[in-house]
Amino acid sequence: MSLNPTVDSLLATADAGIDADRARLAEGFARVRARTLALAEPLSPEDQCVQSMPDASPTKWHLAHTSWFFETVVLMPHQPGYEAFEPRWQTLFNSYYESLGPRHPRPQRGLLTRPLLASVHRYRAHVEAAVDHLVARCDDATWAAVQPLVELGVQHEEQHQELILTDILHALSCNPLLPAYEASEPPAASGAAGTPPLHWITGPAGPVRVGHTGEGFAFDNESPRHTVWLQPYRIADRLVTCGEYAEFIADGGYRRASLWLSDGWAAVQSQQWHAPLYWIAPDDPRAALPQWQVYGLHGVKPLDPHAPVTQLSFYEAAAFAEWAGARLPTEAEWEAAYALPGLRQMTGHAWQWTRSAYDPYPGFRPWAGTVAEYNGKFMVGQMVLRGSSLATPPGHARSSYRNFFPPAARWQFSGLRLARDGAC
Amino acid sequence: MSLNPTVDSLLATADAGIDADRARLAEGFARVRARTLALAEPLSPEDQCVQSMPDASPTKWHLAHTSWFFETVVLMPHQPGYEAFEPRWQTLFNSYYESLGPRHPRPQRGLLTRPLLASVHRYRAHVEAAVDHLVARCDDATWAAVQPLVELGVQHEEQHQELILTDILHALSCNPLLPAYEASEPPAASGAAGTPPLHWITGPAGPVRVGHTGEGFAFDNESPRHTVWLQPYRIADRLVTCGEYAEFIADGGYRRASLWLSDGWAAVQSQQWHAPLYWIAPDDPRAALPQWQVYGLHGVKPLDPHAPVTQLSFYEAAAFAEWAGARLPTEAEWEAAYALPGLRQMTGHAWQWTRSAYDPYPGFRPWAGTVAEYNGKFMVGQMVLRGSSLATPPGHARSSYRNFFPPAARWQFSGLRLARDGAC
Amino acid sequence: MSLNPTVDSLLATADAGIDADRARLAEGFARVRARTLALAEPLSPEDQCVQSMPDASPTKWHLAHTSWFFETVVLMPHQPGYEAFEPRWQTLFNSYYESLGPRHPRPQRGLLTRPLLASVHRYRAHVEAAVDHLVARCDDATWAAVQPLVELGVQHEEQHQELILTDILHALSCNPLLPAYEASEPPAASGAAGTPPLHWITGPAGPVRVGHTGEGFAFDNESPRHTVWLQPYRIADRLVTCGEYAEFIADGGYRRASLWLSDGWAAVQSQQWHAPLYWIAPDDPRAALPQWQVYGLHGVKPLDPHAPVTQLSFYEAAAFAEWAGARLPTEAEWEAAYALPGLRQMTGHAWQWTRSAYDPYPGFRPWAGTVAEYNGKFMVGQMVLRGSSLATPPGHARSSYRNFFPPAARWQFSGLRLARDGAC
Amino acid sequence: MSLNPTVDSLLATADAGIDADRARLAEGFARVRARTLALAEPLSPEDQCVQSMPDASPTKWHLAHTSWFFETVVLMPHQPGYEAFEPRWQTLFNSYYESLGPRHPRPQRGLLTRPLLASVHRYRAHVEAAVDHLVARCDDATWAAVQPLVELGVQHEEQHQELILTDILHALSCNPLLPAYEASEPPAASGAAGTPPLHWITGPAGPVRVGHTGEGFAFDNESPRHTVWLQPYRIADRLVTCGEYAEFIADGGYRRASLWLSDGWAAVQSQQWHAPLYWIAPDDPRAALPQWQVYGLHGVKPLDPHAPVTQLSFYEAAAFAEWAGARLPTEAEWEAAYALPGLRQMTGHAWQWTRSAYDPYPGFRPWAGTVAEYNGKFMVGQMVLRGSSLATPPGHARSSYRNFFPPAARWQFSGLRLARDGAC
C-alpha cells in the first residue's frame, strides 16, 4: 500500500522513465513524515505537550517544527504563491534561526497548549501536500534548488525523531509513576550469551583521511574531508556495559574526586549524581525491588549487565575510562577505526562520547542561505559523540557523522567505548 | 433532573422526614462537584495539564486534588474498609499537608501527564460514590464527625474552582496566541451609564466587633469574633476602575519611585511592570489595535474604562492609592463598613487588597486534626484581601472572609477600593 | 576633657545663658560621632571594608553613610555655600533614598576599597566641623529647621552603630577562623544564680493607648498615638534562654514541620537550619569542644544556658513559642505591658520578635521632605521587634520604638519573650 | 645588592664549584618571591582583601596561596620536621587540590579579612626561609626530588603574578571611581608610527611537530611533543588593534547575530555586552570625555587605536574574525608559525584566543603525586590562548605554552590574531 496519492502518481510517472530522483525523494519524504507520526502515536495529547526542561521540547513542538522547517526553507522561497499555514506559527515553531525572525522562548515551549494537537496534524498534512506538489511539478531549475533542501528537511526530521524519543523519555521519567512510553516488551537486547570479553583493536597510525567522502548526504560539519595525523592507539571492540559501569559505582566511582574532570566533579556534587540518569538504586523509594533497575522506553526493568550503559554525561564517561585505566577515543581515532574487522556496536546501540571537543574541521564553511545556522554556530562548549543509538532512525548516521552535546548532557542514549595509547 | 441516584434516594428518604441535613449536604456536594467539571469543560487535555508557574496548578491537578481531599480527610479516616483509589496518588495530589506524608514538588505538577485526564475523571466518580454512600449510610456518631469535614471539602473545592480559572488564565496568557478560555461574549459588565462619581462613606469609629458571627460555615482564620478599635475613617462606595488606573499610568505611575513601597518599586524595576498583568499596551506587538486592551477569560478586549481594575499586586494597589491621595482600608475597616448603605461592589467583582498583613486574630487556634494546616501556617508574609471576585463561586464568600496572597501576586482578580483617614 | 573645641566654646556661651539647646545638641552630636569611631577601632582596614551579604554593609560604608546623611540632609540644604566633600560620594554612600539621586548597588558596597579608610575619616571630620559650625552660628530661623534634622542624624547614626556590630559579626562569622571582634572577656551576663523560673504577668485588656506620647524624640513610624483594643493576655517576665532553646532543639524542634509556619519550614529545609545562626554544634568541625558553643563579639564561648537566646529568625521564635505551648506577644501587647511591675529584660538584652507584621499605625504620615523615605516605604513584608539588644546604644530605644526585619533575618541580636491568651 | 643572606652564602659556595644549580634556583626563587610583593605594593590592605567575582581572587589570597603551594608541595613532604606555619591555613589557601583536603569555598575568599596582611607577610617570610634552607642543605637524593618541585613553585607563582594584576584590575573596575592600580604614566605602547598594514604570512602545511621540545621547564599540558597535520593556511603578522575593533563596533558588530556563535550571542544579550570589558562608551556617565576611553592599570585613558585590543572573550574574538572575513588560528597553526620571519607581537602584548578547545595532547599524562591536578582536570569546556600578555612575567611563557580560559572570560589581557585558510 502506498503512502499517499501524490507519491503514487509520481512513482507511476517515474516508471515511465521521467524522473526517478523526484520519485525517490518523494517516497523518502513520505516515509519519514509517517514515521514521525508513528513515534507520537503511543502518547496522549498531554504527553505530547509537556516540556520537562529547557533542553527538551514537547512532541507536539517537534511535529510542528519539522513542518515549519519545510515550510520556511523549501516552500516559502520556492513555491510561488505559497502562504504560511498560519503566519503566527512562524514565530512559535522557529527553533534557533536568528535570521528567520523572532522566536518563542525555548524554555516556554511546554506552555503552548494551543495550537491543539489536531491543528498541528492539519499543519503537517498541509505542508506535506505542498511539498509533494512542488516536488512533482516544479521546473528543473527549481528542482535543482529544492532537491537538496528537501533532502536536508528529511534528515532534519530524522534528527528530531530521535529527540522525540529522548525528550519524552525525560518528561516521563520526571513522573513518580514512571510510565512506559511503550508497554510492549522488546526482544532481549543482549541475549543469553552474556558479555563477551573486551578485545583491543589497533587503529591506523600516521596520516589518515577523515570527514565526508562526498557520496550521499552529509551535514556541513562533516566536511571538508582532510588529513589528520594519529599516534598509535587501540580501541575496544565493544561498548562498556551496564555491568561494568555498576562495578565502577560499587568501587566508589562517584565518590573519588581523582577520577573526575574538575567540572565533572562539581556536577557530581551539585547535582548529586550517583548513577546514570535513569538508573534506580536499590534503596530508591520508587524501586519495587532491592536491586538496581533501569528506566527506559519500556518502563522499569531490572538492570541488564550485558547491555551497553547509556544516559551518561561526558564527565561520567571520562571518569569511567580513567577508572578503567583507559581513555575515550578521539573522534578521528573512532572514524579511522570504523571499518576495521572485529569492531562491534559502532552504530545502533549508543552514541559514544569521544575525547574531542566540537571544533570546526579545517576549511569548514557553513552552508549558504537560511540553513547557514544549522551546525556551525554551535561549535563551542560541546563534545563530539560518534556512532548512533537505538533511538536513531535506521540509516540516518554514517561513519563521518558528528553528533554533539554539552558535556553535562545526560538525557540521550549516550555511552562509551574505551581506547588506549599505543598499538596492541 | 437530579444530579445522581444516591442523592435521589437520599432526598426521597429525606422527604420521609429522616435526615434533611444529610440530603442538603449531599445535594451541595453533588452540585459543587459537577460545577468543577463544568469549569474544566472548555479546556483540552493539554490545557488541563499545563502549569505556567510554581504558584499556579494544572486544571487536572485541581480536579484530582479536590478528590484527594475528600478521600484523605473524609473517607480514609471515617469509611471502614475504604481503600485509596490508587495509593501512589496520595503523594501526587497532596498540596501542602506535611502531616499527611510526602508530596510531589509543587513546581513539577505540570509534568504529570499521567494519570490521564480520563483516569482523573474516574477518580472523581469513585470518590463521589464513596462520599455519597458514607453520607447516606453512616451512623449518627460518624455523621457528627463527617458532616463538618464534608462541608469543609465543599468549601475547599469552591476555593479551587476560583483557582482553576485564575491558573488557566495565567497559562493561556503565556501563549502568544492569547487564546480565550471561553469564546462566547459575556454580557457587558459595566453598562452604558459609565463610571459613577466616587462617594465617600463614613465607617464606624471606636470599638467594633469583627470576625465570624458563628452562623453558617466559616474558615478557622475568621475566628474568634473580637473587638477592635477603629479611628474615624471613610471608605469609597465603589472600586477603582480601569479608566482611573489608566490615568495613573498616564501620569507616570510606574515611573515615580515616591509612590511606591520599597519592595514594590524593586518589583516594578526587576519585573519591568508597566501596567496590570493582563493589560496589553498600544505598542505591544500582540495588540491588534493601537489602544490599551485587556486579556481575560473571553480573550482580548478593548479596555473598558468603567470596569473595575483587576490583576493588580498589593504594591500596585498601594501605589495607586498613594497617587490618588488616599490609602487602602484595613481589613477591619472593610468588614465594619460592610453593611453600610450606599456601598457597592463589595463582592462579585474583584478581591480588594487591604492595608492589613495576614496576622492571626487574637485567640486564633487552628482546627484540630489533619486540617490543622489549612490556614494558620500561612500567617506570615501575606496581605489580606476582602470581598470576592467575578471568578468566586456564587455564595462562597461572606463579610468576614479573609483571602490572602503575597504582596507581589498579580494573577488573581484583585483590585482595590480607596479609604481615607477621618470621617466625611 | 571635652570632645572638641567648638563644643567647648558653645558650652561656654551656653553658660552665659544664650542657647543651652544648641549646646546640648552639639554635645550629643560629638558624643555619638566619637562613639561610632570607637566601635570601628578594633577592626583592621580589611575588616572595615568587607561585606558578607547584601543585607549587611561594611563598617567603612557605615562610617561614610552616616556622614553623607548629615551632609545631604542638614548641610547642603541649610548651610549656604556648603559644597559636598567629594561630589561622587553622593552616589556611593546613599543608602536607599530614591529622591536623592542614583545609588551604588547595595550588594556591591564591599567592592569599594576606595575611598581608603583614612579618606573616610577625613570626610567625617569635615562634616563634623561643618555641622558644629552650623549649629553654633546659624540664625534662629535656620536653627528651627536644622535642630530636628541634626537630632534625626544623631538617632540615625545610633541605628547604624548597632548595624556596625551586627554586620561585622556576620562577616567575621564567615571566616573559618572565627575571629573575635573584641578579645577581652565581658563580665558574665547571667550571673551564678542561674535562670529564674518564668512568671506570667497579666497585661491590660480592653482599650489601651499605644504609640509615641510626644515627649522627646521618636521616629515617624511610632505615631500617631492611638487606641487599640486588647483581649486578655499574659506575658512572660523574662526572655527565653539559650538553655530552653537547646531543649527545643533536643526535642526535634528543627525536624517537626507541625511547629513551623509554612515559610519557616521551607527556610529550615532549604537553608538547612538546625540551630540559631551562631551556634556551633558539638559535631561541627570548627568546635574545639564536644558541646554546644556560641560565636559572638568576643569569639567562641561555651553555650551559657542562662543567657537570652539571640540570632533567631521570626520563624524560629514562632516555632519555639508553638513548641512551648505559648505564642509571641503582639507589639501592642508588648507596649501596653511595658511598665508593669515584675517585667524584666525588656531592653538591653535582645530585640524581641512580636506576632505583628509591620503595618502603618492608623493615621500614619511619613515625615515631609528628603526624610520621607525613612520608614514608611518599608511597611510591608517585615515583622516588628520590640525592646533593644546588647548592641543597641544605651538610651537609643524606648517603649514605643518599632524595630523591623524580614521574618527570615537572623543576624541581629533577636530573641523572644513568650505570651499567652487569657489573664493569669 | 643580593636578595637575601642565604642566597649570598649559596652563591659563594657555588663559586667554590659545588652546586651552581642550587644557587640558580635559589636566586630565581628569591627573585620571583620579591616580585610578587612588589606587585602588591601599590595596593592598600582593603585592595588586597577584596574579591569582585568568584573567578577572581584577592591579592592577599594570592600572596598566601603561593606560599601554601611551597609549604604543601615542597616543605611538608621533603623537609623533615617542618610544621605548617598555621595548620588551619592549609584549608584557607588550598585552591583546588581535592587530594589535599578540604578547601575554603572559592567565592568566599574575599571574606577572609583575617589573617591580616601583615600575618600573610610573615607567612611568606617563614616559607621562604624554610625553602632557602632546604635548597641549601638537603642531601642529593632530596635535591633530586625537590628541584623540580621548587621550579614548579616558581612557575606557579609567576602564573599568580599575572592573576594578581588581572584580578585587582577587575576589582578596581567595579568601583565607580575607577581608581588606577598605578598612577604613573607608562611609555606609549604603540608609538607615533600608527598601525602598520596587516600582512599575511604563510604557515607550514603537512606534518609538523608541536609540543614541548624537552629543553627547560614546561607544564605537563605541553607534552608529549607530537605530529599534527596542517592544511595550508596563513596568519596575520600582528594583533588586531583597538582601532580595528572600534570599526567592528561601529559596523554593528554587537547587534548582528549572524557574526556570532550561538553561546556568544546569548552572552551578548544576557550580559548586555557592547564593547570589550573595560571600554567606556562616549555616553557612559563615568566618561569624562565624549569619546571611547579604556580603563586599565593606569586608570582611564583615551582609546589608543594602535594598541592591541584586549579584555575580549573568545566569543568576541571569533565574531570579530568572522566580521573581518577571516578566522582564528588553531593552536597548532599558531605554534607552527611561531618562529617564522615577519611575525610580530607573538608574546608580551596580549594572549591570543585560538580556535582550539583545550583537549589533551595525544599521550598526555598528568604529573604524578600531589601536582597531578595541576592541568589535566581542567581539559574540558575551555579554549586555548597562546602567546603572553603585558601582564605576564617576562620570560614566563614560551612557544609551546598553553593558556586556557572559558570562552566567556573577559577579564584577562586577551585579544586576537587573524588567520585564513590557504597559503598566500
Side-chain angles (χ1 to χ4, degrees), chain B residues 204-281:
Chain B
V208 300
R209 297 287 286 172
V210 296
H212 182 56
T213 59
E215 302 227 345
F217 177 85
F219 287 109
D220 54 0
N221 62 1
E222 303 169 48
S223 289
R225 190 163 173 85
H226 63 286
T227 300
V228 297
W229 187 286
L230 296 183
Q231 319 303 318
Y233 74 102
R234 56 207 137 135
I235 191 165
D237 68 334
R238 62 163 173 79
L239 301 182
V240 170
T241 65
C242 288
E244 290 164 337
Y245 202 84
E247 287 178 50
F248 165 72
I249 296 175
D251 195 37
Y254 284 86
R255 296 191 305 272
R256 292 160 58 182
S258 63
L259 300 172
W260 294 79
L261 288 158
S262 182
D263 287 355
W265 185 240
V268 165
Q269 296 188 295
S270 68
Q271 312 292 317
Q272 303 197 281
W273 290 351
H274 58 267
L277 179 58
Y278 295 145
W279 287 31
I280 299 170

Side-chain angles (χ1 to χ4, degrees), chain A residues 262-273 315 408:
Chain A
S262 182
D263 287 355
W265 184 240
V268 165
Q269 296 187 295
S270 68
Q271 312 292 318
Q272 303 197 280
W273 290 350
Y315 300 132

Side-chain angles (χ1 to χ4, degrees), chain A residues 29-91:
Chain A
F29 173 72
R31 200 183 314 113
V32 79
R33 297 288 290 182
R35 187 176 186 274
T36 303
L37 280 185
L39 288 171
E41 186 60 32
L43 301 170
S44 75
E46 293 109 302
D47 291 336
Q48 298 194 43
C49 190
V50 76
Q51 180 179 33
S52 52
M53 61 170 172
D55 288 337
S57 296
T59 305
K60 185 171 72 176
W61 189 91
H62 287 297
L63 296 181
H65 166 70
T66 48
S67 304
W68 170 91
F69 190 89
F70 282 108
E71 187 171 63
T72 306
V73 170
V74 175
L75 294 171
M76 296 184 68
H78 296 291
Q79 174 62 61
Y82 182 82
E83 291 183 14
F85 180 71
E86 165 55 65
R88 294 182 299 172
W89 296 11
Q90 289 290 307
T91 298

Side-chain angles (χ1 to χ4, degrees), chain C residues 193-395:
Chain C
T195 303
L198 182 152
H199 291 110
W200 294 104
I201 296 186
T202 299
V208 300
R209 299 284 288 172
V210 295
H212 183 55
T213 60
E215 302 228 346
F217 177 84
F219 287 109
D220 54 359
N221 61 1
E222 303 169 48
S223 289
R225 189 162 172 84
H226 63 284
T227 301
V228 297
W229 187 286
L230 298 183
Q231 319 303 318
Y233 73 103
R234 57 206 138 137
I235 191 165
D237 68 334
R238 62 162 174 80
L239 301 181
V240 170
T241 65
C242 288
E244 290 164 338
Y245 201 84
E247 287 177 51
F248 166 71
I249 296 174
D251 194 36
Y254 284 86
R255 296 190 305 272
R256 291 160 58 181
S258 63
L259 299 172
W260 295 79
L261 287 158
S262 182
D263 287 356
W265 185 241
V268 165
Q269 297 187 295
S270 68
Q271 312 292 317
Q272 302 196 282
W273 290 350
H274 58 267
L277 180 57
Y278 296 144
W279 286 31
I280 298 169
D283 60 353
D284 188 310
R286 300 169 305 169
L289 304 169
Q291 63 179 82
W292 281 104
Q293 297 177 93
V294 179
Y295 173 70
L297 292 166
H298 301 283
V300 178
K301 306 287 176 194
L303 181 143
D304 175 356
H306 311 307
V309 62
T310 59
Q311 267 74 39
L312 291 188
S313 65
F314 167 79
Y315 300 133
E316 289 162 295
F320 178 90
E322 179 74 18
W323 172 80
R327 61 170 173 83
L328 300 177
T330 66
E331 62 166 325
E333 289 171 341
W334 192 97
E335 185 171 340
Y338 183 75
L340 294 181
L343 272 178
R344 298 181 308 111
Q345 299 179 316
M346 291 296 272
T347 59
H349 292 76
W351 289 101
Q352 295 149 55
W353 287 108
T354 71
R355 195 58 183 86
S356 300
Y358 183 43
D359 280 339
Y361 278 175
F364 165 73
R365 295 307 300 164
W367 285 321
T370 53
V371 293
E373 299 180 50
Y374 204 92
N375 273 312
K377 75 178 187 181
F378 301 110
M379 289 178 173
V380 68
Q382 317 224 30
M383 300 304 290
V384 173
L385 302 100
R386 290 302 191 100
S388 67
S389 84
L390 55 90
T392 313

